[in-house]
Amino acid sequence: MTEREERELRELLATLREEHRDLDMAIFALETTPRPDHLQIKRLKKRKLHLRDRIQEIEDILLPDITA
């Protein structure tokens, strides 16, 4: 992997982590409303899970598991 590719992956990782945090706050805000929109919450949670999986994929690329 070139330095440029690594830098781009790290930038993407930072962006995905930020979006993951934002979704966490949005879900919390929706859950604390008097009449929460359960369908919207479910969609946001599904998006959050997708982001978590993508974050893990990128972390695996950047920090490969080295077995001896």
Side-chain angles (χ1 to χ4, degrees), residues 2 13 16-17 22 26 30 37-38 44 46 54 59 65:
T2 66
L13 183 60
L16 294 175
R17 284 180 176 159
D22 291 347
L30 283 172
D37 182 349
H38 296 289
L44 292 176
K46 187 173 182 177
R54 185 68 181 125
E59 287 174 343
D65 186 24

Side-chain angles (χ1 to χ4, degrees), residues 63-68:
L63 302 168
D65 186 24
I66 300 172
T67 56

